Amino acid sequence: YGRGEAADHSLGQLLSKAPPEETGVWPCLAVCEAMERIASPEIAYGFIIGVHNARGAHFRREGGEQERELAAKYRNWSQQLVFDYPYVANVLKDIADSYDSEAEWHDSEAKINKRLRH
């Protein structure tokens, strides 16, 4: 019925709700193994969307410090998983990179707002 892409996105979003391992590494190994075995770009896309949506509403501080903290967290998990789960590590790196880009955007926005106030 042509719903495979939407189903994969939904599956990725569902996997993004997985708990961390007891060691603190996220996502849990069962999710890592499934994602690594399937290696679907559409599931990865849904996973990334699920991560971003899970952040929910938040208060903004000036600049992109919040996003840099999130990027560091996802990059750390990526580095911990890279040897055993390279596909998942790359997805986590993509998430970190997207938060880095967001941080730069918020930094630019803060600079512009600061100039407009003076």
Side-chain angles (χ1 to χ4, degrees):
Y1 295 106
R3 296 187 183 119
E5 188 175 306
D8 283 352
H9 290 176
S10 295
L11 182 57
Q13 289 181 38
L14 179 65
L15 292 174
S16 75
K17 296 175 185 344
E21 275 298 310
E22 292 176 5
T23 61
V25 175
W26 181 84
C28 64
L29 296 183
V31 168
C32 289
E33 289 171 8
M35 286 181 68
E36 197 70 31
R37 188 172 42 247
I38 298 168
S40 163
E42 298 305 327
I43 290 175
Y45 179 77
F47 188 85
I48 292 168
I49 295 300
V51 167
H52 283 279
N53 287 345
R55 187 174 181 197
H58 54 278
F59 290 99
R60 288 253 23 103
R61 293 184 295 222
E62 192 170 57
E65 188 58 34
Q66 292 169 310
E67 286 74 20
R68 273 189 285 287
E69 290 170 7
L70 289 168
K73 178 173 74 170
Y74 287 100
R75 191 162 284 109
N76 180 44
W77 286 331
S78 172
Q79 291 167 352
Q80 292 180 49
L81 294 171
V82 72
F83 293 111
D84 295 325
Y85 304 102
Y87 183 80
V88 177
N90 192 53
V91 172
L92 295 176
K93 183 187 168 299
D94 288 347
I95 293 169
D97 291 346
S98 71
Y99 279 125
D100 281 334
S101 294
E102 230 179 286
E104 289 177 25
W105 184 85
H106 285 297
D107 288 343
S108 295
E109 187 79 8
K111 288 176 187 175
I112 291 168
N113 286 336
K114 190 173 183 179
R115 277 190 240 147
L116 290 175
R117 284 185 285 216
H118 295 323

